[in-house]
Amino acid sequence: MQPFTTLTGIAAPLPLPNVDTDKIIPARFLKTILRTGLGKNLFDTLRFNADGSENADFVLNKEPYRRAEILVAGPNFGCGSSREHAPWALLDFGIRCVIAPDFADIFFNNCFKNGILPIRLPQAVCDALAADASLGPNARITVDLERQVVVRPNGDEIRFEVDAFRRHCLLNGLDDIGQTMAHAPKIDAFEERRRAEQPWL
Amino acid sequence: MAAGRPRTLFDKIWDSHVVERLPDGTCLLYIDRHLVHEVTSPQAFEGLRIAGRPVRRPDATFAVADHNVPTSDRSAGIAEPESRIQVETLEKNVADFGVPYFPLRDARQGIVHIVGPEQGISQPGMTIVCGDSHTSTHGALGALAFGIGTSEVEHVLATQTLLQKPARNMLVRVDGALPLGCTAKDIILAIIGRIGTAGGTGHVIEFAGEAIRALDMAGRMTVCNMSIEGGARAGLIAPDETTFAYIKGRPHAPQGEAWDRALAWWKSLPSDEGAAYDTTVVIDAATIVPLVTWGTSPEDVVAITGTVPDPASETTDARRAAKQRMIEYMGLTPGQRMQDLAVDVVFIGSCTNGRIEDIRAAAAVAKGRKVADGVRAMVVPGSGLVKEAAEAEGLDKVLLEAGFEWREAGCSMCLGMNPDQLKPGQRCASTSNRNFEGRQGPGGRTHLMSPAMAAAAAIAGRLADVRDLAR
């Protein structure tokens, strides 16, 4: 996993509430057996018209947001299915940070597994960041995970919270499985005890 | 374990599965059962292969293909190349890693969340995961069951554990008795309408109260299935005699002395008197009516006797804009009567409502009646065994005579991943779980409801109140 330390980039405003995982990546694109290549279908129904042409009104079809690396989103972003294809599609498009008032649990979790940082900030702060993002080419926002701050284009800093363990993994690009393997003796012992006490499990 | 502190059902299951607690409160949680399907597992198995890791407990892992499978004649295999590759990839993976698998032509094949309980794989007190958000279904048995992403699927395959932070406890109590014409589906739609689609975020919901207790296992599974539509990580119901009677004798259920020991433990699982919940919601079952959704979020519920709401009544610009978009997408007019909406398609099935009890409910409405002209009505059993059971009862004949299609088991039109899809603009009365834009096919318009209500819509040719048919 690519480490996440500091990111400075174009932020795209997408303030819709309840953007579900079918909106992020519709089910018909889940037939891949790869993690890559989903970016071209990110937000497919919002981004493209029925005839396949681009919807000129959609933010990611406008300059400079075609190069967006940060998304400023609405409440309950990522609700719906557990498909990790949603963060894979975001990452494949180039987005490595999503800022929203809140997220659906599974999507939130899935982001961390892919080097994407989801940041929860109050609605009013998200509104201000969305307004910043609307400034176009000047909408460069910095996300500093080390210091846990978002830096607005005017230089103001906004503190955000993140779990210590998840922060550690993102900063160092650590794979969970490798770390869990270090606990293998404890898992062995747990299983051994269970086999004796609850053999049907 | 804190002795004496009253604990919830969730607390008890959680505590008994913690292998290791990290300094920031994250827990390494042991996973008892892992269900696997073809869509969210290929990249996980590939990850194991690259790292040279085996599946730690193939005996606790079960695989079945459901999302991509055609529900028509399967003798020629899967026509769509990408779907076929995904199912073939699963078949190769289960063979390479020694994971039990129910192939397409096995009667036990079906939707993963129907198959788990049906086989007795899902049991009280277990932790159960699957790369699918509707894993919450298994909570109906008194298990902690939740959906995970593909990276976590790989993590469980490799380690039989997950890194998780404990959820908050939410109690949803449904008091009293459900009125005639209402079902488990109406209960869960009413709950989601009340708490909203993010109302359960960060929580595990325990469903309790007289109306929940009175449900059979199928109804309980319907309720727990849609916990995720209320934003909850999982939903569960305390195991009781209904649960035990359901499990006993199933292929993977404990037997003999193990059954007695398991039963004793299961009986200790219900929440203690005085256990604390972070959030409590109380609903009077008597106030529940047959419900349908009007919009593109499961929280957009309205009584079948109601009308399409007006976005102008929303409190914020963002919400107004979102509702306006829904009205346009769904092809509706504010104030329009729900019962005036003509349907093109009726879909009865899915992990929410694809069990034998659901098919009985649909057949009871269909019996002696005809599907309205111009309506395509399909019934898709949740598993091959559900299909066999329905046929043994003659339900297939009742449905076929009424003009319904009777299909093979799979996820079918719940999600647009297999040939069963809505065409743009088609309106569907559906027993599935999500009414998101494009969920049942690009441009499709979904109204969620119970099997009896969907069958009533098929007969009427428009959304209809099942209570009118009963009169």
Side-chain angles (χ1 to χ4, degrees), chain B residues 311-325:
Chain B
S313 63
E314 289 295 335
T315 47
T316 67
D317 286 347
R319 285 189 67 85
R320 236 180 329 270
K323 298 289 175 194
Q324 186 56 40
R325 181 184 167 87

Side-chain angles (χ1 to χ4, degrees), chain B residues 69-157:
Chain B
V69 306
T71 61
S72 52
D73 178 23
R74 290 170 180 170
S75 52
I78 302 175
E80 213 277 312
E82 283 184 303
S83 293
R84 190 174 62 239
I85 290 169
Q86 216 167 41
V87 173
E88 285 170 356
T89 303
L90 179 66
E91 290 179 344
K92 177 172 170 26
N93 287 333
V94 296
D96 288 358
F97 288 90
V99 171
Y101 172 68
F102 299 143
L104 275 197
R105 287 186 215 170
D106 189 316
R108 296 169 298 175
Q109 181 270 339
I111 307 171
V112 64
H113 308 309
I114 304 272
V115 170
E118 189 171 76
Q119 292 298 319
I121 293 167
S122 318
Q123 298 166 21
M126 282 181 168
T127 49
I128 303 171
V129 297
C130 173
D132 191 285
S133 58
H134 291 111
T135 308
S136 57
T137 312
H138 309 264
L141 291 124
L144 173 60
F146 53 93
I148 56 177
T150 299
S151 295
E152 291 184 315
V153 168
E154 185 181 341
H155 194 279
V156 177
L157 288 171

Side-chain angles (χ1 to χ4, degrees), chain A residues 20 22 30-32 34 46 80 82 84 105 109-110 163 165 177 180 186 188 191 194 197-198, chain B residues 20 24 30 32 43 53 56 80 83 86 132 149-152 155 165 202 261 265 325 417 434:
Chain A
D20 57 67
D22 280 81
L30 309 189
K31 296 182 183 183
T32 178
L34 306 172
L46 297 170
S82 65
E84 200 157 315
D105 288 332
N109 216 10
N110 283 340
D163 284 349
F165 178 71
I177 297 177
T180 298
K186 291 217 160 106
D188 293 341
E191 284 183 341
R194 286 281 293 271
E197 292 172 3
Q198 297 176 306
Chain B
E20 174 80 342
D24 80 337
Y30 194 77
D32 293 315
Q43 296 87 350
R53 291 171 175 142
R56 183 177 173 99
E80 213 277 312
S83 293
Q86 216 167 41
D132 191 285
T150 299
S151 295
E152 291 184 315
H155 194 279
K165 277 215 158 166
R261 288 173 68 185
W265 182 53
R325 181 184 167 87
M417 275 203 80
R434 288 194 179 129

